[in-house]
């Protein structure tokens, strides 16, 4: 756990003091009515939430320290139900839908809630979080946690949250996915960074998932960079393939000082020289996976960023790959010289290799941008036909990949469907031009047979409504 910075310590201390001085708390303690506790929540939980959100957006490595501070009795259990839910979702989950490791942070928050003097006011907000956390945890963990609670009434409440569905894999999956949907769009993510040899295997998956979340949007990651740099340059991790995926994230999405960039490149060169096949394979596999992630930003800009930390004085697949992609991105995928370079380089690699698959994916991204960028007016669709009429056949021949062809077919279908929804008059010039060109070119590309094309352009008949 990373320590909480002094500014937030002081801020939380001020909130704790204000809570204890609040008239709402005094009235609640005097009257013991739920309405006054609700008033206390309305007064202070927005302040805690604002600080929590700001910290996790800008300095997420300190979030567990922040949340542990809230376990102080002076906060009267405020905001604990929310952070209990976040702690449930942060634990690394296996394919069997169990926690990969004991979720101690979840346990600490739940234990604090169970022992809080305001438990009766809090319990109505934690039932599902307790149920999901118990479903994902081992029986030993749950039993030890419940047995450690002194209040029989609280123990009975917790025992009642052990869902029978959690006994099966499908049950745990349903319980978790249903719960996780409630938090969609929220930033609650955190993972520890391994900094010692034994931790690398244990924590690296959670770390990678956390990094991928952080770089997938517009979050400020400046506070993460020093810890990530320290992990990547740790001597204990020399020769370990587990550091290669974080290196991809760091080299692609993080800004480095000149000194830090030099150290990053030194580590990369060390790994490439010591384990050329492993390093190339891991890095190319990682960027291929990221390119295929829906809505994940790994395109031209990101590939050029990563290429800038790849030394070209090492004769390996990474040098060959980034020399080629630099040419694609800088000179343009429609350039005949670029296409000749792609054909020449791919002749050295199997069509099923990650090298070839990455090149195809880079080109496919340009065609996706083309399809998404064009409107449906005549000038746009004429340009679409002009560009694709030249480039589709060229790349179909260069790659010789049925998978790539199917991806092009899907793009062409989506764009053409957009056109036919606009140009519905089958006697009109636009519709006839679109159909004529499509009927000819798609057969040439191998996208559809004549029979399939006729079916594609057929207007479904509306069902007659019986009187």
């Amino acid at each position: 756990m990373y320590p909480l910075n002094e500014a937030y310590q002081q801020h939380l201390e001020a909130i704790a003091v204000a809570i204890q001085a609040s008239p709402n708390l005094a009235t609640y303690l005097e009257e013991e009515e739920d309405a006054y506790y609700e008033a206390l929540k309305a007064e202070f939980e927005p302040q805690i939430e604002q600080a929590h959100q700001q910290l996790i957006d800008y300095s997420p490595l300190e979030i567990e320290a922040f949340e542990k501070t809230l376990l102080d009795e002076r906060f009267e259990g405020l905001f604990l139900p929310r952070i209990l839910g976040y702690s449930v979702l942060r634990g690394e989950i296996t394919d069997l839908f169990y926690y990969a490791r004991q979720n101690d942070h979840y346990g600490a928050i739940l234990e604090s809630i169970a022992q809080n003097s305001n438990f009766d006011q809090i319990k109505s907000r934690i039932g599902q979080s307790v149920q999901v956390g118990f479903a994902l945890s081992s029986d030993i963990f749950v039993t030890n946690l419940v047995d450690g609670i002194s209040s029989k009434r609280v123990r009975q409440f917790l025992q009642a949250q052990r869902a029978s569905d959690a006994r099966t894999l499908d049950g745990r999956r349903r319980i978790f996915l249903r719960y996780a949907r409630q938090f969609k769009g929220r930033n609650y993510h955190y993972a520890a960074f391994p900094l010692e040899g034994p931790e690398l295997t244990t924590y690296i998956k959670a770390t990678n998932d956390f990094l991928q979340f952080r770089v997938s949007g517009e979050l400020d990651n400046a506070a993460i960079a020093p810890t990530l740099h320290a992990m990547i340059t740790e001597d204990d991790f020399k020769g370990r393939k587990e550091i290669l995926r974080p290196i991809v994230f760091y080299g692609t999405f993080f800004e480095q000082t000149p000194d830090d960039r030099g150290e990053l490149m030194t580590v990369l060169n060390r790994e490439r020289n010591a384990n050329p096949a492993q390093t190339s394979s891991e890095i190319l596999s990682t960027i291929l996976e990221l390119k295929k992630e829906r809505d994940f930003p790994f395109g031209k800009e990101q590939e050029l960023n990563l290429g800038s930390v790849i030394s070209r004085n090492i004769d390996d697949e990474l040098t060959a790959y980034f020399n080629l992609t630099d040419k694609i991105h800088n000179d343009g995928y429609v350039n005949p010289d670029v296409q000749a370079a792609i054909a020449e380089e791919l002749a050295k690699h199997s069509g099923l290799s990650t090298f070839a698959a990455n090149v195809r994916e880079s080109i496919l991204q340009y065609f996706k941008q083309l399809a998404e960028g064009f409107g449906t007016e005549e000038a746009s669709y004429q340009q679409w036909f002009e560009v694709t009429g030249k480039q589709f056949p060229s790349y179909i021949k260069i790659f010789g990949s049925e998978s790539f062809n199917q991806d092009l077919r899907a793009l062409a279908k989506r764009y053409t469907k957009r056109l036919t929804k606009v140009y519905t008059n089958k006697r009109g010039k636009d519709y006839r031009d679109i159909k004529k060109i499509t009927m000819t070119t798609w057969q040439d590309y191998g996208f559809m047979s004549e029979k399939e094309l006729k079916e594609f352009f057929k207007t479904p008949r509306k069902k007659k409504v019986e009187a």
Side-chain angles (χ1 to χ4, degrees):
M1 183 176 72
Y2 303 88
L4 184 62
N5 70 72
E6 186 176 351
Y8 276 91
Q9 289 178 26
Q10 294 176 355
H11 185 53
L12 287 181
E13 177 63 23
I15 292 176
V17 170
I19 290 171
Q20 292 302 308
S22 170
N24 282 320
L25 177 61
T27 307
Y28 166 64
L29 294 176
E30 179 69 26
E31 303 293 339
E32 296 185 354
E33 293 288 341
D34 290 350
Y36 298 114
Y37 188 78
E38 292 299 315
L40 193 67
K41 280 169 48 183
E43 183 180 2
F44 290 103
E45 282 201 347
Q47 299 177 42
I48 299 172
E49 181 173 21
Q50 183 180 27
H52 185 277
Q53 195 61 57
Q54 185 178 46
L55 184 68
I56 202 163
D57 283 348
Y58 292 97
S59 193
L61 299 184
E62 300 173 32
I63 201 64
E64 282 199 353
F66 180 102
E67 292 172 354
K68 286 198 171 182
T69 302
L70 297 179
L71 305 186
D72 188 317
E73 291 181 356
R74 293 179 301 159
F75 288 96
E76 300 292 340
L78 298 178
F79 206 62
L80 294 191
R82 180 69 63 83
I83 65 173
L84 181 70
Y86 292 157
S87 70
V88 169
L89 296 170
R90 289 189 197 129
E92 181 185 338
I93 297 170
T94 68
D95 293 339
L96 296 177
F97 279 81
Y98 281 121
Y99 286 130
R101 291 171 300 283
Q102 184 168 294
N103 192 338
D104 291 326
H105 190 54
Y106 166 77
I109 297 170
L110 182 54
E111 185 177 1
S112 179
I113 290 172
Q115 295 173 346
N116 194 282
S117 59
N118 302 311
F119 177 79
D120 288 337
Q121 285 67 42
I122 299 172
K123 69 179 182 181
S124 62
R125 301 166 61 198
I126 66 170
Q128 197 175 8
S129 296
V130 175
Q131 181 188 86
V132 178
F134 281 3
L136 301 173
S137 299
S138 69
D139 286 339
I140 294 175
F141 172 81
V142 174
T143 299
N144 288 341
L145 191 151
V146 173
D147 288 349
I149 305 301
S150 58
S151 168
K152 180 179 179 181
R153 178 173 50 85
V154 176
R155 288 200 305 272
Q156 289 173 338
F157 171 84
L158 295 177
Q159 288 285 13
Q161 310 311 314
R162 301 181 79 163
S164 58
D165 288 356
R167 295 170 183 161
T168 67
L169 170 59
D170 286 342
R172 291 190 298 276
R173 181 189 292 113
R174 284 194 303 271
I175 290 170
F176 175 77
L177 295 179
R178 184 170 60 242
Y179 183 72
R181 281 195 293 270
Q182 301 174 37
F183 293 82
K184 187 176 181 181
R186 294 190 182 213
N187 177 15
Y188 54 82
H189 299 264
Y190 162 80
F193 281 54
L195 294 175
E196 297 179 0
E199 296 177 341
L200 189 60
T201 303
T202 304
Y203 294 125
I204 195 61
K205 183 182 184 303
T207 304
N208 284 331
D209 289 346
F210 171 64
L211 286 171
Q212 185 162 329
F213 170 80
R214 292 293 305 191
V215 302
S216 63
E218 301 297 326
L219 292 169
D220 185 336
N221 292 314
I224 297 174
T227 305
L228 178 57
H229 183 84
M231 182 187 83
I232 287 168
T233 56
E234 171 57 50
D235 282 343
D236 282 354
F237 300 159
K238 187 183 300 184
R240 300 285 296 275
K241 72 174 184 177
E242 290 90 348
I243 66 165
L244 296 174
R245 189 178 182 95
I247 282 175
V248 170
F249 287 125
Y250 188 43
T252 303
F253 297 100
F254 288 77
E255 291 186 8
Q256 303 100 27
T257 65
D259 287 345
D260 286 348
R261 173 166 285 237
E263 291 180 4
L264 169 61
M265 294 179 73
T266 297
V267 169
L268 254 175
N269 290 347
R270 180 195 72 201
E271 298 302 312
R272 291 169 69 190
N273 285 319
N275 303 289
Q278 173 180 274
T279 304
S280 296
S281 175
E282 189 71 17
I283 289 178
L284 290 175
S285 296
T286 297
I287 63 177
L288 179 61
E289 181 184 326
L290 295 178
K291 286 177 186 178
K292 289 180 174 291
E293 285 277 350
R294 182 180 296 181
D295 300 326
F296 189 84
F298 203 105
K300 171 184 176 179
E301 179 184 350
Q302 290 72 32
E303 198 150 57
L304 288 171
N305 285 347
L306 183 57
S308 69
V309 298
I310 303 293
S311 298
R312 308 304 167 89
N313 57 1
I314 299 175
D315 185 15
D316 64 359
E317 278 201 337
L318 292 181
T319 290
Y321 179 78
F322 285 101
N323 281 345
L324 181 60
T325 53
D326 281 355
K327 190 172 183 65
I328 293 170
H329 298 316
N330 292 324
D331 297 347
Y333 75 107
V334 301
N335 188 317
D337 290 341
V338 169
Q339 294 173 358
I342 293 172
E344 180 181 353
E345 188 60 46
L346 289 188
K348 306 171 187 176
H349 302 270
S350 162
L352 298 177
S353 66
T354 53
F355 188 107
N358 262 300
V359 176
R360 291 195 296 268
E361 199 64 31
S362 290
I363 298 301
L364 183 63
Q365 287 182 348
Y366 280 108
F367 284 126
K368 286 179 179 177
Q369 292 170 9
L370 189 72
E372 292 166 359
F374 279 140
T376 55
E377 65 276 6
E378 181 180 1
S380 286
Y381 76 68
Q382 290 289 2
Q383 191 176 358
W384 164 263
F385 287 132
E386 181 182 348
V387 174
T388 59
K390 295 177 181 177
Q391 303 308 322
F392 276 13
S394 296
Y395 280 104
I396 287 171
K397 181 179 179 182
I398 289 170
F399 292 138
S401 166
E402 183 58 30
S403 174
F404 178 80
N405 297 351
Q406 291 301 314
D407 287 335
L408 292 187
R409 177 179 182 269
L411 285 177
K413 280 182 67 177
R414 282 198 296 271
Y415 182 68
T416 307
K417 280 291 185 184
R418 285 172 56 198
L419 297 177
T420 57
K421 286 180 180 179
V422 174
Y423 302 105
T424 55
N425 181 5
K426 294 192 173 185
R427 295 176 183 270
K429 176 182 178 298
D430 291 294
Y431 182 91
R432 287 186 284 110
D433 285 349
I434 291 165
K435 182 176 179 180
K436 180 182 177 182
I437 295 172
T438 301
M439 291 285 289
T440 301
T441 56
W442 283 18
Q443 289 183 75
D444 291 342
Y445 304 155
F447 287 175
M448 287 186 183
S449 65
E450 183 177 1
K451 180 179 178 181
E452 289 171 327
L453 279 160
K454 288 179 179 179
E455 190 68 26
F456 179 80
F457 281 100
K458 186 183 293 184
T459 302
R461 291 185 179 180
K462 293 183 179 180
K463 292 182 179 180
K464 293 182 179 180
V465 179
E466 296 183 4

